[in-house]
Amino acid sequence: ARQRTGRIKSIGQDLTQWNERGKKTVHQISALESRGKSVAEHIAALDDAPEKFDARRQKLLSMLSQAEKERNEASDQLAKAEAAAGEAASQLREAEAKLAESRELQAGLSARIDGATQRQNDVFNRICEELDCKPAEILERSGLEEDQIPARPVIDSKLSQLRDQRERLGGVNLRAEEEAGEVQKELDNLVNERDDLVSAIQKLRHGISSLNREGRQRLVEAFERVNNNFAELFTTLFNGGQAELQLIESDDPLEAGLEILANPPGKRPQVLSLLSGGEQALTAMSLIFAVFLTNPSPICVLDEVDAPLDDYNVERFCNLLDAMLERTDTRFLIITHHALTMARVHRLFGVTMAERGVSQLVSVDLEAATALREAG
């Protein structure tokens, strides 16, 4: 009876445990279903990403085409402005030539009129002095026929025409030459400004082209060095495999994107996002150290980069750090909780709280401690 009672009690405890396990199983199933829904939603959200990126690319291409069109329009307007300036200069020269001709014509006519008047007065005075008669009496005294001299209307008509021509010339603009000089000066300033603007545009385009050319050259050279170092360090960390960096989405290095292709031993080549957490960490370390080998820095701070790694990969990571110390002068400051990493460093700095609310910095020189132990 006691055995049966104990057995019944044991069965009751087992039943309770199984009930609790069943509840936990239901809870885990619900959590897994919720997580599956969220993953499905995330995948559905990422399905539209290529179309969005393509739409954005098309929009950028459209904006680039519009900018090129505006640049062409600006060039056409500049050409029209240059043509208008040339035409204005030609009109100005024509106006100056006409003005000079008008001045010469007016001066000639005025001189002729003055000369004729003076000669008429001289003739009248000579007639009065020498012939002692009026000019109208000369014909009778001369014995000439009337048909031998021009008719009076002809003379009067010619004189009237000359007077009308003089009147049509109008008043003389004494400031015409000064105004023409001001217009020419303003035109010269505009031409100089246009030449300066065209020269500045050419220099700017040449500078942009030179900068882009030099930038492409430097980028390609740095990319090749980083890619070679990355492939070498990746093979060292993974003890095999291959990895490379690729420029994508454009033939121009200045506009291209960057993609990392990794091929750990025993796996097919794939992008970084498809690798496991540890593989991603090792690949990222390879890329970081490849950059440091290309352009070393005095100090490098690594914050718990060994957290996703197992002991075997942590050992590889520490060996890589030792190799980096031999190849560069970089000092590495590592924040870590991993015992293997702490055992391989030269000096440890720890923060401890001996009393509540009071932190204390503790420093240990592992090399000195090792030498002291060996000496003892």
Side-chain angles (χ1 to χ4, degrees):
R2 284 193 303 269
Q3 291 178 356
R4 183 176 57 188
T5 302
R7 180 61 177 170
I8 292 172
K9 184 177 180 181
S10 176
I11 292 174
Q13 292 176 354
D14 293 340
L15 181 61
T16 303
Q17 292 178 357
W18 283 109
N19 290 331
E20 291 177 355
R21 289 184 179 179
K23 292 178 181 180
K24 292 181 180 179
T25 303
V26 172
H27 180 70
Q28 290 180 355
I29 291 172
S30 177
L32 290 175
E33 290 178 351
S34 176
R35 184 177 178 184
K37 291 180 180 179
S38 64
V39 170
E41 292 175 356
H42 182 65
I43 292 174
L46 291 178
D47 288 341
D48 298 335
E51 289 78 5
K52 293 180 179 179
F53 284 123
D54 185 66
R56 183 178 178 185
R57 176 174 172 273
Q58 295 298 330
K59 183 177 179 181
L60 291 175
L61 291 175
S62 177
M63 293 174 64
L64 179 61
S65 176
Q66 183 66 25
E68 185 67 20
K69 181 179 180 182
E70 292 177 356
R71 185 183 69 81
N72 294 332
E73 292 178 354
S75 299
D76 295 340
Q77 292 178 358
L78 178 61
K80 291 181 181 178
E82 292 175 352
E87 185 177 357
S90 176
Q91 293 178 357
L92 178 61
R93 289 193 295 270
E94 292 178 359
E96 291 177 349
K98 291 181 180 179
L99 178 61
E101 292 176 359
S102 299
R103 285 181 178 176
E104 293 177 359
L105 180 61
Q106 184 179 9
L109 292 176
S110 298
R112 290 175 61 184
I113 293 172
D114 294 339
T117 303
Q118 185 64 35
R119 287 194 300 273
Q120 184 181 7
N121 293 331
D122 293 342
V123 171
F124 182 79
N125 292 331
R126 288 181 61 188
I127 289 173
C128 294
E129 292 177 357
E130 296 180 2
L131 301 178
D132 193 16
C133 68
K134 295 180 180 180
E137 298 175 356
I138 295 177
L139 185 60
E140 296 178 358
R141 290 190 176 188
S142 63
L144 297 174
E145 298 295 334
E146 293 183 357
D147 56 355
Q148 295 179 353
I149 59 176
R152 179 67 179 270
V154 176
I155 298 175
D156 292 340
S157 176
K158 187 174 181 179
L159 181 61
S160 178
Q161 291 177 358
L162 294 175
R163 289 175 179 174
D164 291 340
Q165 290 178 1
R166 185 185 65 180
E167 294 296 332
R168 284 196 296 270
L169 291 176
V172 179
N173 186 5
L174 300 179
R175 296 189 69 255
E177 186 175 359
E178 182 178 354
E179 292 176 356
E182 293 176 355
V183 173
Q184 182 64 35
K185 184 177 180 180
E186 183 178 358
L187 180 60
D188 293 339
N189 292 334
L190 291 176
V191 172
N192 292 333
E193 291 178 359
R194 183 204 62 188
D195 295 339
D196 293 340
L197 181 59
V198 172
S199 177
I201 292 174
Q202 292 178 352
K203 290 181 180 179
L204 181 60
R205 290 176 178 173
H206 180 72
I208 293 173
S209 177
S210 178
L211 289 176
N212 289 338
R213 182 170 58 255
E214 185 175 358
R216 291 188 186 95
Q217 181 180 357
R218 291 188 178 184
L219 179 59
V220 170
E221 293 176 356
F223 175 78
E224 291 178 355
R225 292 198 299 268
V226 172
N227 193 16
N228 293 333
N229 293 333
F230 173 61
E232 177 185 354
L233 295 177
F234 182 88
T235 304
T236 301
L237 276 179
F238 282 87
N239 196 18
Q242 296 177 353
E244 63 175 341
L245 302 175
Q246 291 184 354
L247 296 176
I248 59 173
E249 297 180 357
S250 178
D251 295 334
D252 189 354
L254 297 178
E255 299 180 358
L258 182 65
E259 187 173 48
I260 301 175
L261 291 180
N263 182 17
K267 293 187 177 181
R268 294 180 300 175
Q270 51 191 343
V271 296
L272 182 64
S273 59
L274 299 180
L275 299 177
S276 63
E279 291 173 340
Q280 290 182 2
L282 292 177
T283 304
M285 292 178 195
S286 301
L287 181 58
I288 292 173
F289 289 148
V291 174
F292 268 88
L293 288 177
T294 303
N295 187 16
S297 175
I299 297 176
C300 175
V301 180
L302 302 175
D303 188 2
E304 296 189 11
V305 296
D306 56 355
L309 304 179
D310 54 13
D311 294 345
Y312 181 68
N313 288 324
V314 170
E315 189 69 24
R316 289 184 179 179
F317 166 66
C318 294
N319 293 334
L320 180 61
L321 282 179
D322 293 338
M324 292 293 295
L325 290 175
E326 294 177 359
R327 298 176 64 177
T328 65
D329 295 331
T330 303
R331 296 295 183 91
F332 291 94
L333 302 180
I334 306 174
I335 302 172
T336 181
H337 294 285
H338 206 288
L340 291 178
T341 305
M342 289 188 285
R344 295 287 296 273
V345 299
H346 297 159
R347 182 181 292 272
L348 281 175
F349 294 93
V351 178
T352 181
M353 186 179 293
E355 301 178 6
R356 181 178 297 276
V358 180
S359 298
Q360 182 179 1
L361 183 64
V362 179
S363 175
V364 179
D365 190 344
L366 295 183
E367 293 182 348
T370 302
L372 181 62
R373 185 186 65 179
E374 292 176 355

